[in-house]
Amino acid sequence: MQLVRQKEEMSTQAAYRAPVTRRETRRWRGRTVLAALLVAALGSGCTDRSAEPVKPAPGTPAAGKPGQPAAAPGVPGEQTAAELDALYSPENVRRVQAERAVAAKKWGLESTPLAAPRPPAVKPEISTREGFEVEGGEDLPPLFTTVPVDGKKVVFLTMDDGSEKDPELLRMMSELKIPYTAFLSDYVINNNYGYFGQMRDRGVAIQNHTLNHPYMPGLSYEEQKREICGQQDLLERNYGKRPTLFRPPYGNYNADTLRAAKECGIKAAPIWASEAFPDHMEWREWDRDMHPGDIILTHFRGRDEWKGSMPDMIRHVMKVVTDKGYAVGRLEDYV
């Protein structure tokens, strides 16, 4: 996790140093940046490894138009206004929820996931969260943990890295019709690009999490640009679309990170408000609760790293989300 490098870079920006409320600003800013970096690295559960990017193996999906997802609220797709009217009509929502109820029993969920509200016709304006700013960052991709959703009880599920490639997860999420966004790093996906091609074909948005998952503030501008742009190129080549969203590894970044991201075509850099595990949730906010528009982080992990499987994690996070009266929406419909 490059702790030595982190100690050397104590002046760099870290996501976890942001204050959680105005009332707690002094307390949070009083902590050292080093402690913030350690919390961010350990809390994310990410493993920092370096590896040269590997070219796609023969037979992996070529760039092309993603497969069309099933017509269900919250599942990604490029729909017209008329198609959205049909997708979110009361009749279709009832049908989809009936199918979800059957799938929920099959997959061992305690409750049927709630239907997501129709996304806005115009995506909301998003700015960098207070405490996450970098010098000269006014025209750079915003960093945020929560999306403006006009008070609607909708949250967003995101999965990082890509080391675990569980086919049960693909089936479970498709049958439950739960949308999610995959932020992928090449060093853990390059042994099976095809798995994430199947994910793409099921309607999942593929986004950027760098080539090798390094501690970004410890790199030069050119090195950071290579990490981001190189992953942009690989994801476009393998999955047919150049990402517009980027998540810095561990949530750590500096001004060079955001400048490089912008140069590579990134429009926004979502971080997270909470993190999901198979047996618990970890919270950023002082009230340890969920809020409209929150972004949930989890990882592609298995029993060798977790006390449970990917389906176990989904069962737990969906219990928390549903019990609190929230639905899971598609991040790209809002950002």
Side-chain angles (χ1 to χ4, degrees):
M1 291 183 284
Q2 301 188 358
L3 298 183
V4 173
R5 180 180 289 170
Q6 290 179 12
K7 292 178 182 178
E8 295 172 350
E9 295 294 330
M10 290 178 64
S11 63
T12 57
Q13 180 75 17
Y16 267 84
R17 72 170 177 80
V20 294
T21 65
R22 292 181 185 273
R23 183 174 61 188
E24 295 197 336
T25 297
R26 290 190 181 91
R27 178 171 66 82
W28 275 85
R29 288 180 178 172
R31 296 179 179 178
T32 63
V33 175
L34 174 59
L37 293 174
L38 290 172
V39 171
L42 294 174
S44 70
C46 295
T47 301
D48 182 16
R49 294 163 45 193
S50 296
E52 288 301 314
V54 179
K55 294 181 180 180
T60 55
K65 185 177 180 180
Q68 295 299 316
V75 176
E78 299 298 330
Q79 298 97 355
T80 65
E83 289 170 334
L84 283 174
D85 286 341
L87 198 61
Y88 290 90
S89 68
E91 295 79 8
N92 194 56
V93 170
R94 283 194 294 270
R95 178 186 64 80
V96 168
Q97 287 303 103
E99 294 173 355
R100 272 181 159 176
V102 174
K105 290 182 179 179
K106 171 183 174 179
W107 290 101
L109 274 67
E110 293 189 11
S111 302
T112 302
L114 300 176
R118 176 174 173 153
V122 178
K123 294 180 181 180
E125 182 177 347
I126 298 176
S127 58
T128 292
R129 175 174 171 161
E130 183 181 358
F132 285 69
E133 302 91 344
V134 297
E135 185 176 355
E138 294 79 7
D139 296 324
L140 297 178
L143 289 111
F144 49 96
T145 62
T146 301
V147 178
V149 294
D150 197 26
K152 295 177 181 177
K153 298 197 75 172
V154 59
V155 293
F156 306 99
L157 182 61
T158 64
M159 300 186 192
D160 279 10
D161 300 347
S163 59
E164 180 71 10
K165 303 164 184 71
D166 187 348
E168 289 289 287
L169 175 72
L170 296 180
R171 291 190 285 271
M172 182 181 196
M173 300 300 273
S174 294
E175 293 178 16
L176 289 169
K177 299 178 173 63
I178 298 172
Y180 58 106
T181 297
F183 287 89
L184 302 181
S185 291
D186 189 66
Y187 82 108
V188 285
I189 71 169
N190 59 34
N191 63 344
N192 192 348
Y193 288 122
Y195 175 83
F196 299 97
Q198 294 179 57
M199 190 172 289
R200 183 273 322 269
D201 290 344
R202 292 167 187 250
V204 176
I206 304 296
Q207 305 290 0
N208 191 323
H209 198 43
T210 72
L211 287 170
N212 299 301
H213 205 282
Y215 172 66
M216 296 295 276
L219 304 181
S220 68
Y221 170 80
E222 289 301 328
E223 289 171 329
Q224 294 196 55
K225 184 177 176 182
R226 178 184 177 275
E227 283 287 336
I228 302 171
C229 286
Q231 183 69 343
Q232 291 284 87
D233 294 341
L234 278 168
L235 294 177
E236 182 178 27
R237 184 162 76 230
N238 282 285
Y239 306 119
K241 187 174 183 180
R242 200 166 184 82
T244 58
L245 305 183
F246 163 70
R247 175 172 286 158
Y250 315 115
N252 294 150
Y253 60 93
N254 59 14
D256 280 347
T257 313
L258 300 182
R259 282 195 286 268
K262 181 179 180 180
E263 186 69 19
C264 298
I266 295 297
K267 305 300 182 185
I271 310 295
W272 60 90
S274 60
E275 184 170 357
F277 297 86
D279 57 348
H280 71 284
M281 295 284 293
E282 293 183 0
W283 308 94
R284 181 187 295 272
E285 307 302 333
W286 68 272
D287 59 0
R288 298 178 58 81
D289 202 359
M290 195 166 285
H291 310 88
D294 276 357
I295 298 170
I296 302 171
L297 163 70
T298 190
H299 291 82
F300 291 94
R301 296 284 189 267
R303 293 185 181 277
D304 56 336
E305 298 177 78
W306 270 350
K307 295 180 179 179
S309 64
M310 293 293 290
D312 290 334
M313 179 275 297
I314 294 298
R315 278 185 281 271
H316 184 266
V317 70
M318 290 309 302
K319 174 175 171 52
V320 174
V321 169
T322 306
D323 285 355
K324 291 179 178 293
Y326 284 83
V328 177
R330 179 187 179 236
L331 182 62
E332 288 76 11
D333 286 339
Y334 291 77
V335 179

